[in-house]
Amino acid sequence: FFFYLFCRFTYFSHYIMDNKKRLDEDIITLLDSYNNIISSSKIKDVRENIQNTRNNFHIQVQTEKIILAAQDIQQLIKEIKQSNIIHDYISKNKENEDSLEKLENYKDSSETETNNLSNTINDILIECENEYYTSKYK
């Protein structure tokens, strides 16, 4: 059992480190692309049409890089959420055990109440039967 826990912990620690590295790289790409857009968007001379066109193309390329990095971050967040949902079996088991315990308690209390009701009805029937047989009006 301890070996199993150790293996799971090792797997999750590598998984977390890989995702952290991936997230750091995406954030660096986002910031670099944004800085490149800002530096390329400065117009120095209106007469330099070719340079302006080149700068516009550079801005488009950097914008695409930002979009790709943002999509990668969204995908990473989605994978982390799915991983947490799938691998969070300990809390799911705890919830199931708690629910099972509540249902067993409810079952026990229902059985007790049913037995008490049955005994009460049985006593009343016996009393009614005795009254019937001892009655002078039958």
Side-chain angles (χ1 to χ4, degrees), residues 81-93:
K81 284 180 181 178
Q82 287 177 348
S83 174
N84 286 339
I85 290 171
I86 291 172
H87 296 297
D88 193 19
Y89 63 90
I90 293 173
S91 66
K92 296 294 181 188
N93 285 343

Side-chain angles (χ1 to χ4, degrees), residues 24-61:
D24 289 341
E25 290 172 357
D26 288 338
I27 289 174
I28 289 170
T29 302
L30 266 170
L31 292 175
D32 288 344
S33 297
Y34 182 75
N35 288 332
N36 288 335
I37 286 175
I38 296 300
S39 66
S40 295
S41 64
K42 295 177 184 174
I43 298 176
K44 298 174 180 98
D45 189 6
V46 177
R47 290 177 277 164
E48 298 176 358
N49 272 342
I50 295 174
Q51 184 64 33
N52 288 338
T53 305
R54 187 178 305 148
N55 286 344
N56 286 337
F57 179 72
H58 185 67
I59 289 172
Q60 287 176 353
V61 168

Side-chain angles (χ1 to χ4, degrees), residues 61-77:
V61 168
Q62 296 303 321
T63 304
E64 287 295 320
K65 283 185 177 180
I66 287 176
I67 290 171
L68 291 175
Q71 288 173 344
D72 195 37
I73 290 173
Q74 284 180 332
Q75 182 65 30
L76 177 64
I77 291 170

Side-chain angles (χ1 to χ4, degrees), residues 76-108:
L76 177 64
I77 291 170
K78 180 181 174 184
E79 289 173 9
I80 290 172
K81 284 180 181 178
Q82 287 177 348
S83 174
N84 286 339
I85 290 171
I86 291 172
H87 296 297
D88 193 19
Y89 63 90
I90 293 173
S91 66
K92 296 294 181 188
N93 285 343
K94 178 69 173 147
E95 289 175 11
N96 288 341
E97 289 172 359
D98 291 344
S99 176
L100 181 63
E101 184 178 329
K102 286 179 185 177
L103 289 173
E104 286 178 353
N105 290 338
Y106 181 73
K107 180 188 132 226
D108 292 341

